[in-house]
Amino acid sequence: METMVATHADAFRGTRTAGFWLALAIAALQGLNAVRALIDPQGFATYMGLPVDEPSALAWVQVYGLRAGFIALLTAVLLARGDFAALRWMALAALVMPLGDAWLAASAGAGAAIVGRHLAIAVVLLVASHFLGRAARAQRSA
């Protein structure tokens, strides 16, 4: 009976996967959204396609920013733990955000470029989910 010995070259390295880098980019962009929403809520609302006129509404944009910060931190924690399966499901569940953002922006009369940007983010999440699923399978088989 032949014994297989895993070599260093055979070891799974999550940082060598497209899923890792896509998730890292998503975390970084969510972190940037959080900072922008907290520092310049009016500018961020306009960027999202939902400009606000009432000063009291700016607090809601900052609430969005806090939630974006949570998503960035959760993604970073899952990356640090190497939990590609959880990241895959998180990317799929997160589709509700850009799809909802696209619908809200379109309903508010935002231009096609803004709505298209939200839809492009949804596509990126689908692609990330695919590659995170591949990374999770490779991790399990390593």
Side-chain angles (χ1 to χ4, degrees):
M1 177 179 214
E2 186 175 314
T3 306
M4 301 268 314
V5 176
T7 65
H8 187 64
D10 294 336
F12 174 79
R13 285 207 168 100
T15 56
R16 291 186 178 181
T17 66
F20 175 89
W21 293 104
L22 286 167
L24 185 64
I26 290 167
L29 291 172
Q30 283 297 305
L32 179 63
N33 282 348
V35 170
R36 289 179 64 198
L38 292 170
I39 291 175
D40 181 18
Q42 191 153 24
F44 185 73
T46 301
Y47 165 77
M48 292 295 288
L50 299 164
V52 292
D53 299 327
E54 304 273 334
S56 62
L58 295 177
W60 285 107
V61 178
Q62 291 175 316
V63 167
Y64 176 93
L66 291 172
R67 277 141 180 82
F70 168 76
I71 292 165
L73 289 173
L74 179 59
T75 304
V77 167
L78 292 173
L79 275 171
R81 292 179 45 84
D83 195 340
F84 292 100
L87 283 162
R88 175 183 181 252
W89 289 109
M90 184 177 169
L92 284 174
L95 283 170
V96 71
M97 292 183 300
L99 294 174
D101 291 345
W103 176 72
L104 289 170
S107 296
I114 292 173
V115 174
R117 185 180 64 234
H118 292 303
L119 294 174
I121 291 167
V123 170
V124 169
L125 284 169
L126 283 171
V127 170
S129 173
H130 168 75
F131 284 108
L132 288 163
R134 286 180 56 177
R137 287 187 296 280
Q139 187 177 40
R140 279 192 306 268
S141 67

